[in-house]
Amino acid sequence: MKKITHLFLLFATLIVIVNCSSSKGKMSDTTNSLKKEAIQYEDDEVYVPHLKSERKTFFKGSSSEDKWVDSVYNQLSFNEKIGQLFMVAAYSNKDAEHFNTIEKLVQDYKIGGVIFFQGGPVRQARLTNRFQSKSKVPLFVGIDAEWGMSMRLDSTYRFPWNMTLGAIRDTKLIERVGAQMGREAKRMGVHFNFAPVLDINTNPLNPIIGYRSFGEDKKNVTESAIALMTGVQNQGVFSTGKHFPGHGDTSTDSHHTLPVVNFPKERIDNVELYPYKRMFDEGLESVMVAHLNVPNLEPRENYPTSISYPVVTELLQKQLGFDGLIFTDALNMKGASSFKKPGDIDLAAFMAGNDILLFAENVPVAVEKITQAYNDTLITDDRIEQSVKKILKYKYKVGLNSYKPIETKNLVSDINPVDNSSLQYELYENAVTVVKNDNAILPIKDLASSKIAYIKLGDFPGTSFLSTLNKYTEVTEVSVIDNSKALEQLSNYSTVIFGFHSSDVSWWKKQEFSKNDIELINKVAASKDVILDIFAKPYVASDLPSLDAIKSIVVSYQNSDISQQVSAEIIFGALGAKGRLPVSISEKYPVNHGLTTESTNVLGFSTPERVGMSSEKLAKIETIVNKAINGKMAPGMQVLVARKGKVIYQKSFGYHTYDNKTKVQNSDIYDVASVTKMVSTLPNVMHLYDHGKVTLETKLGEMLPAFAESNKKDITFKELLSHYGRLQAWEPFYKSTLDIEKCPADKYYSLFFKEGFTKQVAENLYIRNDYQDTIMSKIISSKLIDKKEYKYSDFTFIILKDYVEKMTGKSLDVLSTEQFFKPLGMSSTMYNPLLKFDMSMIPPTEIDNYFRHTTIQGYVHDMAAAMQGGIGGHAGIFSNTMDIAKMMQLFLQKGNYGGRQYFSEETFLTFNNCHFCLEGNRRGLGFDKPQLGKEGPTCGCVSKSSFGHTGFTGTMAWADPETEIVYVFLSNRTFPDSNAANTLSKENIREDIQRIIQEAIIK
C-alpha cells in the first residue's frame, strides 16, 4: 500500500487501486499510474504494420545463400542439427576448466554459438578463435552490449545507458552510437548484439529495466530503438530486440522470479507491442523472448512467455509476422529455471517456437530431451529444419560461410577510437535536461557578484563536476555535517549548487536521496538560490516532497566525467540545454518535458576532433614537454589549447621543483611575468581608449603631466604601446637599494610590516611606500636610445600602470579584478596570490641570492614589480592556463565574452594592428605579433593576425583569429637560477609546441 501511495503522489491524476502481488505471483505486480496509462494506452496512434514485402531489410537473401544453407544442412547429422539450437555462456575471465568445458560442447555436441559475459576484449577474441577452430560449422557469437561492450568487458568504451539516450531528440546521434557499437562488435567477431531494449519503462519501481529502457513514451522508445538498430545493422551485425512481449511495467526481476504483466490484450497490443511492430517493419533481424507471466496472452497459470506457444509462435510469428531469429532469454534465469529443470525447459522453449536456446545450463541433458521428443514424434523434421535452416541462413548473412579468425593485434585500440569521446560529448550535450529554471537563473552570468557554494550529495564522487565549475568561477565546496548549522556555513554564499552523485557502475543499483539530503535541500532552498543537479535517474527527483522552492533542477542522468563536465558547461552557459525527460518526474514535470537555456560565448570543453584537430598529433606535445623537463629547462609546466571556443587540451607536467615532490596541477598558479602586460594592464588601457580618454596620437606629456618637461613628452600613445618610443629596455632599480653586502638596505626596507613600509617585496621584507615615486623619477629622467627603432621596454607598462591608476583613481590590482578578472571568472588570477592561495599551489620562480636572498614563491619574480608591492603594470600577475585562456578568448572574440562587450571590436582591431611594420617593428599596441623575419616569438607558422605575449619566467599566451586557436604555456623555467642560460628559449620549446598545434589542424 505504501508503494501505491508513493506512486499516486508522483504521477496519478486519478485514483488508482492496484492489487498487490501474492507471494505465489498469481496477481499482477504491475504498478503503473493512470497518468502514464493515459499517455500510453489511450494514445490515438494505432500502428498498422506494413506488408512483409514492404519491410526494410539490411541483409538481403540470395541464391548463393540458399545453396550454402542447403549444402551445410544436408551434411549435418541429427545430433549436429540439434546442437545448432544452443548458445552457451562463456566467460573470458574464468579458468582453463571453464574453457575446456565450452570447447568440449563445441566438439562433442556441435553447439551453434556462444554468448560471452565478463572478461576482456583480447581474452575473448582468443577464446573465440579457439572455439571457432574446433567447430564444424562456424559459431554464432553474441553478447549483451546495450551500451557497448563495456556492459560485459573491461578495456572497452562505455556509451550512455538507454534512458540517457532517450533524453536526446536527435536520433541521428543515437544511430551513430549504434554504428560504433556495430563496428566494435564486428571487430570482436561478435554477430549478435542483444540490444536494443524495447521495454517501455512505465513503472518507476522496475528493478531490472529502468536505465536500460529509453523511457516511458512508446514513440520515443521506438524512434530511439530504430536509430540504434539501424546503426548496428548497417555495420553487418544483428540487433536483437528485447524483452518480448514487454518487461517495462514489472516490479520484479525475471533473473530471480517470474514477473507478472496483467494487462488486457488491447493495452499490450497498443503499448508493449508497439515498438516491435514498427521495428519489424524497419528491419529488426532477431528478438529475445522474456520470462514473464502474461495471463492475457498465455492462459496457463504462471506459465513463462519464453516457453509459451501462444506467445512465441501464434503472437510473435503468426500474428506479428516475424520471420527473423528468435532467442529465449537466458534459460538459467529463475523466471524460467524455477518452472522447469534443465533439459525440460530447453525442450519446452523449442516446442514453443524459439530458434535458439540461450544460456542452456545442461546441453547434454537438453539434447537428450529433444531427441526423445523427436523419437516420440512430439517434434517433427520440419520443425527442426525450420529453425536450423534459419540459423544457417543467418550465419551466411553475417559472413560465417567464409569465416576468418579475429586479428588480435591493435584490437583494444581499434575498438576504442578517439571518435568515441567526441560522440560522447555530443550525446550528453543533447541529453542533459533542465527541468526547472525559475527567473532564468541558468546560465549563471553575473560572476562578479555571485558567491557560489557546492554541496555534494550521494555515494559517488563529483570531482569532475566541481573541477569544471571552478573553471568558470570560484565555487567553494562546503561539507555539511550538521543540517542545523548549514545556513550558518552558507551565510556568505548567494547560490548553492547541490550535486547528487550516484554510482552508475551498475544499472540496477538503487538511487535515492536520503532523508538527511531531503532535509538539507529544503532548508537551504528556503533562503538561498538552489540549483539541484541530479547525476542519476530522473526518478530520484520524485523523492523530494516539493520542488517549488528549488530555483533550478538539472537532470544529468549519469555520473560520468563527461556528463559532469557538460552539466557544468550548461550551468555557466558554454552550452544551452537541449534534453527532454524520457520519463515523468511528476505531473508538473512529465515525460518529454525540458527547457532550453541560453548559450553564451564562454569557453567550453570538447575533444580535438570536434573542432577539426587531431588528438594523435596533439599527443606529440608531451614529447616536447618531456624533452624540456628531462633537460632541466623547467621543472614543470602547464599547457592549454583551445579552438573555436572549446578547450581541447589542458594538461600539467612535471613538478614544482626538481626534487620531484609536488606535482604540477591544472589549478596551480604560475608567475606569468610579462604576460601581465597583456592580461592586466592592456585591457584597462583598451577600455580607456574605447571610452575616448586617449587617442593614438595623444602624447605622453598629455597623459601624465610628470612627463611634460621630459625627453619623453612627445612619445605618442601609439609609439609607447608599440615599443617604438626609444625607451630603455629596463633598469635594475633594486641595485641602488642594496647595502655594501648586496643585501636590502635598512634605508629602504623593513623586515616587518610597519607604517611607511607596507609594500611587501618578499617574505619578511617590506619596501618604503614612497619608492614607487623614485622608480617613476628614474624613468622620467632616463636617457632615450639614440636610434628610433623597435626596443622592447618594461618602462612602457610601468608608465601605463601609473596612467591607468591616475585616470581611474584605483590601483591596478583592484581595477583589473573589478573590470575583468571577476566578471570573466578568472578567479585564480591576481597579484600577490598569497593573500588568497596557499603557497603549495604556487611553483617557486627562483632561489634569489642577489636581491631578496630567499626562495621566491608566491611573490613576483620581477624585481621592479616586487618593489611596487608586487603590483606592476609589466609583471606581477599569477594565474593558470585556464584563466589566461579566458582573457585570450575575450581578445579573440574582439572584446566580447559571456555576452558582455568589454570594449569595442574596433578597439581590438586597432590594438591588434601592426602600426610600424613597414619600419621593421612587428609589435601591435601592447600585443606581440609574429616575427617579420626569421627570429621572433612564434613558430613562424601562425597567421599575421595572430597576437600574444611571452614572459621571462617561461610563459607564453597566443591566439590566432584565422584558426581560432588559443595556446597557453606556463612554467617556472627560472627556477632555481634565473641567471642561468635560458635553454627553454634556445631550444624553442614553446615554439615547437605551437608548431605541433598548427600541424594538428585537420586540413
Side-chain angles (χ1 to χ4, degrees):
M1 196 64 198
K2 181 178 179 182
K3 181 188 299 182
I4 297 168
T5 304
H6 179 63
L7 288 170
F8 175 83
L9 290 172
L10 293 179
F11 303 108
T13 55
L14 299 171
I15 297 175
V16 184
I17 300 176
V18 179
N19 293 324
C20 299
S21 301
S22 70
S23 59
K24 295 183 180 179
K26 292 183 178 179
M27 301 180 72
S28 173
D29 62 6
T30 301
T31 55
N32 70 304
S33 69
L34 288 185
K35 175 68 179 175
K36 292 177 183 176
E37 182 78 9
I39 294 172
Q40 304 293 346
Y41 184 33
E42 297 176 7
D43 194 306
D44 56 2
E45 179 181 329
V46 177
Y47 184 74
V48 179
H50 298 172
L51 297 173
K52 282 188 180 184
S53 60
E54 297 174 345
R55 288 178 174 175
K56 294 180 183 178
T57 179
F58 290 83
F59 304 87
K60 293 182 178 179
S62 66
S63 58
S64 298
E65 174 186 302
D66 295 337
K67 184 177 179 181
W68 185 85
V69 169
D70 290 340
S71 173
V72 174
Y73 185 81
N74 292 332
Q75 292 176 46
L76 297 178
S77 67
F78 176 81
N79 284 343
E80 288 172 338
K81 291 173 184 175
I82 301 303
Q84 287 296 303
L85 305 175
F86 296 95
M87 281 184 78
V88 300
Y91 299 76
S92 61
N93 66 347
K94 289 193 175 183
D95 58 14
E97 182 179 357
H98 170 73
F99 304 154
N100 292 336
T101 298
I102 304 301
E103 187 173 292
K104 183 175 176 60
L105 292 174
V106 172
Q107 289 180 308
D108 295 353
Y109 289 89
K110 304 299 187 291
I111 59 172
V114 293
I115 172 175
F116 275 104
F117 287 86
Q118 284 71 29
V122 175
R123 287 172 288 166
Q124 178 172 311
R126 287 172 178 161
L127 273 184
T128 300
N129 288 343
R130 174 179 169 179
F131 297 153
Q132 292 283 24
S133 70
K134 305 295 182 181
S135 184
K136 178 178 177 179
V137 178
L139 300 163
F140 271 148
V141 177
I143 195 167
D144 288 303
E146 294 168 20
W147 43 88
M149 293 286 175
S150 68
M151 185 173 179
R152 297 301 187 206
L153 305 181
D154 60 34
S155 306
T156 53
Y157 200 87
R158 187 176 75 168
F159 287 102
W161 291 335
N162 287 346
M163 189 168 285
T164 306
L165 297 181
I168 297 170
R169 289 303 177 257
D170 182 357
T171 55
K172 284 296 180 183
L173 286 172
I174 302 174
E175 184 175 332
R176 285 170 57 193
V177 175
Q180 183 50 36
M181 288 180 179
R183 285 188 285 268
E184 179 184 54
K186 195 166 189 176
R187 181 65 179 85
M188 287 284 299
V190 171
H191 314 114
F192 285 91
N193 182 355
F194 295 123
V197 171
L198 303 183
D199 303 319
I200 300 166
N201 205 74
T202 48
N203 182 359
L205 301 181
N206 194 318
I208 191 58
I209 303 303
Y211 259 136
R212 300 166 67 193
S213 167
F214 289 107
E216 73 178 54
D217 183 293
K218 71 179 185 182
K219 295 177 185 176
N220 185 50
V221 168
T222 304
E223 294 296 337
S224 301
I226 289 171
L228 194 77
M229 172 203 70
T230 300
V232 171
Q233 294 194 164
N234 272 334
Q235 302 305 312
V237 174
F238 301 126
S239 274
T240 305
K242 62 186 185 185
H243 306 85
F244 187 85
H247 206 320
D249 206 328
T250 61
S251 59
T252 55
D253 179 1
S254 54
H255 289 85
H256 306 297
T257 188
L258 184 64
V260 181
V261 177
N262 199 13
F263 290 122
K265 286 184 178 180
E266 293 78 12
R267 143 77 196 229
I268 294 170
D269 182 67
N270 195 42
V271 179
E272 276 71 20
L273 297 183
Y274 178 88
Y276 290 94
K277 288 186 280 189
R278 286 197 57 195
M279 292 284 281
F280 295 162
D281 285 347
E282 294 295 328
L284 181 67
E285 295 290 348
S286 59
V287 166
M288 181 182 290
V289 183
H291 310 306
L292 300 170
N293 178 10
V294 188
N296 283 305
L297 296 182
E298 168 53 67
R300 287 169 289 186
E301 187 175 2
N302 296 329
Y303 204 86
T305 48
S306 54
I307 58 173
S308 165
Y309 186 87
V311 171
V312 180
T313 296
E314 292 180 355
L315 174 60
L316 178 56
Q317 297 182 63
K318 294 181 180 179
Q319 184 177 325
L320 298 180
F322 183 66
D323 293 333
L325 274 176
I326 303 172
F327 292 80
T328 65
D329 206 340
L331 293 175
N332 70 321
M333 294 166 61
K334 294 299 182 183
S337 62
S338 294
F339 188 79
K340 287 180 180 288
K341 294 179 180 179
D344 291 329
I345 194 74
D346 304 81
L347 172 60
F350 182 64
M351 293 184 68
N354 292 286
D355 299 307
I356 296 182
L357 312 175
L358 200 62
F359 207 141
E361 290 191 276
N362 193 326
V363 171
V365 170
V367 170
E368 183 181 324
K369 293 283 185 178
I370 293 173
T371 301
Q372 184 60 49
Y374 173 79
N375 292 333
D376 292 341
T377 68
L378 297 175
I379 295 175
T380 65
D381 287 313
D382 288 345
R383 173 68 189 90
I384 294 171
E385 181 177 347
Q386 175 190 340
S387 286
V388 176
K389 280 196 171 182
K390 193 192 298 185
I391 290 167
L392 293 175
K393 181 176 73 169
Y394 276 86
K395 287 191 174 185
Y396 184 93
K397 290 180 186 296
V398 84
L400 285 175
N401 59 307
S402 55
Y403 165 76
K404 294 179 182 178
I406 303 163
E407 173 58 67
T408 57
K409 184 180 180 181
N410 300 324
L411 176 61
V412 174
S413 60
D414 287 348
I415 63 174
N416 290 286
V418 293
D419 290 346
N420 280 355
S421 292
S422 297
L423 177 56
Q424 191 87 318
Y425 267 102
E426 286 192 73
L427 295 171
Y428 280 107
E429 286 170 5
N430 283 269
V432 173
T433 306
V434 173
V435 175
K436 191 179 186 210
N437 193 26
D438 291 354
N439 303 322
I441 190 175
L442 299 184
I444 299 173
K445 295 180 183 177
D446 185 8
L447 304 183
S449 61
S450 297
K451 288 280 289 181
I452 305 173
Y454 159 76
I455 297 176
K456 191 196 84 67
L457 305 176
D459 58 3
F460 233 60
T463 308
S464 292
F465 185 51
L466 180 58
S467 172
T468 309
L469 291 174
N470 271 294
K471 289 178 180 180
Y472 288 100
T473 191
E474 184 175 1
V475 177
T476 305
E477 182 171 13
V478 176
S479 297
V480 178
I481 299 174
D482 184 348
N483 284 358
S484 65
K485 298 179 180 179
L487 294 181
E488 182 182 344
Q489 288 181 262
L490 297 168
S491 59
N492 293 328
Y493 301 97
S494 56
T495 302
V496 179
I497 300 173
F498 282 95
F500 178 75
H501 301 273
S502 183
S503 170
D504 60 0
V505 174
S506 299
W507 72 89
W508 45 264
K509 187 179 183 298
K510 193 171 185 180
Q511 298 174 323
E512 60 184 359
F513 287 115
S514 68
K515 289 182 179 179
N516 191 68
D517 291 342
I518 294 171
E519 179 188 44
L520 179 60
I521 292 169
N522 290 337
K523 190 179 189 72
V524 175
S527 60
K528 303 284 183 183
D529 287 345
V530 165
I531 299 166
L532 174 61
D533 204 330
I534 298 171
F535 296 90
K537 285 180 269 193
Y539 298 129
V540 171
S542 303
D543 293 339
L544 297 167
S546 173
L547 305 178
D548 292 344
I550 301 170
K551 287 290 190 294
S552 180
I553 299 171
V554 182
V555 178
S556 299
Y557 299 98
Q558 292 180 244
N559 201 43
S560 69
D561 286 342
I562 292 179
S563 69
Q564 292 182 49
Q565 290 171 19
V566 167
S567 196
E569 290 182 80
I570 288 172
I571 287 173
F572 284 104
L575 296 167
K578 301 176 183 177
R580 298 292 182 266
L581 288 174
V583 296
S584 297
I585 290 176
S586 66
E587 183 178 347
K588 190 173 182 180
Y589 306 110
V591 63
N592 298 319
H593 168 78
L595 305 175
T596 56
T597 57
E598 182 185 357
S599 172
T600 65
N601 59 346
V602 298
L603 281 170
F605 303 88
S606 194
T607 60
E609 283 69 24
R610 290 189 68 198
V611 294
M613 298 190 77
S614 165
S615 296
E616 184 179 0
K617 289 185 177 179
L618 285 174
K620 295 178 182 178
I621 290 173
E622 197 157 341
T623 301
I624 305 299
V625 166
N626 289 335
K627 173 185 173 181
I629 294 173
N630 295 336
K632 295 194 179 298
M633 302 175 206
M637 56 205 66
Q638 298 174 340
V639 180
L640 179 145
V641 182
R643 191 181 193 203
K644 298 182 179 179
K646 299 292 184 182
V647 176
I648 56 171
Y649 186 100
Q650 185 186 13
K651 290 188 178 182
S652 293
F653 306 91
Y655 295 81
H656 284 201
T657 63
Y658 290 112
D659 63 9
N660 294 354
K661 288 183 178 179
T662 306
K663 284 188 173 183
V664 180
Q665 306 294 328
N666 286 340
S667 55
D668 289 343
I669 54 176
Y670 279 91
D671 179 341
V672 303
S674 287
V675 173
T676 297
K677 298 177 174 73
M678 182 174 61
V679 301
S680 179
T681 312
L682 186 61
N684 286 294
V685 170
M686 295 171 78
H687 187 264
L688 289 173
Y689 174 86
D690 202 50
H691 285 76
K693 304 299 182 184
V694 64
T695 70
L696 295 184
E697 302 306 323
T698 301
K699 295 181 179 180
L700 184 53
E702 300 173 64
M703 293 170 60
L704 288 169
F707 285 88
E709 302 300 324
S710 75
N711 57 358
K712 304 169 185 66
K713 64 180 180 180
D714 292 327
I715 298 173
T716 66
F717 181 71
K718 179 168 64 174
E719 291 171 332
L720 185 68
L721 277 164
S722 300
H723 296 277
Y724 202 50
R726 297 169 58 200
L727 298 177
Q728 299 289 332
W730 76 299
E731 182 176 329
F733 300 113
Y734 75 95
K735 286 187 177 181
S736 62
T737 67
L738 302 180
D739 61 21
I740 195 169
E741 295 178 349
K742 306 298 182 183
C743 291
D746 293 343
K747 177 182 178 181
Y748 300 106
Y749 299 94
S750 170
L751 298 179
F752 51 88
F753 181 94
K754 66 178 183 180
E755 186 178 353
F757 291 82
T758 62
K759 293 184 181 297
Q760 194 165 11
V761 177
E763 189 173 9
N764 301 321
L765 188 65
Y766 298 82
I767 193 170
R768 291 170 54 145
N769 292 350
D770 59 3
Y771 200 81
Q772 166 70 17
D773 298 334
T774 303
I775 291 174
M776 286 304 297
S777 295
K778 286 177 179 284
I779 293 173
I780 292 169
S781 62
S782 66
K783 293 181 179 181
L784 295 175
I785 62 174
D786 295 335
K787 186 179 179 182
K788 188 173 180 63
E789 62 183 2
Y790 163 57
K791 185 73 172 181
Y792 179 74
S793 174
D794 279 346
F795 286 3
T796 294
F797 281 85
I798 295 174
I799 292 168
L800 287 170
K801 170 183 181 287
D802 197 51
Y803 170 68
V804 166
E805 290 182 339
K806 283 183 167 59
M807 287 295 292
T808 62
K810 295 181 179 181
S811 64
L812 181 59
D813 58 333
V814 172
L815 191 64
S816 291
T817 299
E818 290 179 352
Q819 290 281 91
F820 293 96
F821 300 161
K822 272 193 173 182
L824 287 170
M826 295 172 65
S827 55
S828 295
T829 302
M830 66 182 298
Y831 292 95
N832 294 318
L834 292 176
L835 294 174
K836 178 180 178 181
F837 297 101
D838 190 84
M839 188 178 286
S840 63
M841 292 181 62
I842 310 170
T845 48
E846 185 175 26
I847 300 175
D848 183 338
N849 59 8
Y850 55 88
F851 171 30
R852 288 168 278 187
H853 299 278
T854 187
T855 298
I856 306 303
Q857 186 173 12
Y859 299 94
V860 62
H861 173 267
D862 183 271
M863 292 72 76
M867 295 169 75
Q868 294 177 290
I871 305 167
H874 65 297
I877 284 293
F878 286 74
S879 190
N880 55 34
T881 54
M882 186 67 215
D883 271 13
I884 298 295
K886 293 174 187 177
M887 183 63 75
M888 299 307 291
Q889 193 67 25
L890 166 69
F891 291 138
L892 201 61
Q893 293 169 178
K894 300 180 177 64
N896 193 289
Y897 192 85
R900 172 178 169 179
Q901 198 72 39
Y902 288 80
F903 44 79
S904 70
E905 180 176 335
E906 292 75 17
T907 291
F908 169 76
L909 293 173
T910 298
F911 276 67
N912 191 36
N913 187 31
C914 178
H915 294 270
F916 299 102
C917 272
L918 294 177
E919 289 80 9
N921 179 352
R922 70 173 188 261
R923 307 291 293 215
L925 301 185
F927 294 116
D928 201 354
K929 301 285 288 177
Q931 53 265 44
L932 299 177
K934 292 184 178 181
E935 300 297 324
T938 76
C939 58
C941 53
V942 290
S943 76
K944 293 300 181 184
S945 63
S946 70
F947 57 90
H949 218 288
T950 56
F952 182 75
T953 53
T955 61
M956 180 177 186
W958 210 268
D960 191 337
E962 290 192 16
T963 58
E964 299 180 74
I965 289 175
V966 170
Y967 161 46
V968 186
F969 178 100
L970 302 180
S971 78
N972 57 333
R973 72 99 197 154
T974 49
F975 186 87
D977 181 6
S978 68
N979 294 309
N982 187 354
T983 53
L984 187 85
S985 179
K986 289 179 179 178
E987 293 290 331
N988 296 315
I989 296 300
R990 292 169 292 188
E991 297 88 336
D992 286 350
I993 290 175
Q994 189 175 48
R995 185 178 301 280
I996 287 172
I997 294 167
Q998 292 299 117
E999 291 173 351
I1001 297 172
I1002 300 170
K1003 306 293 184 181

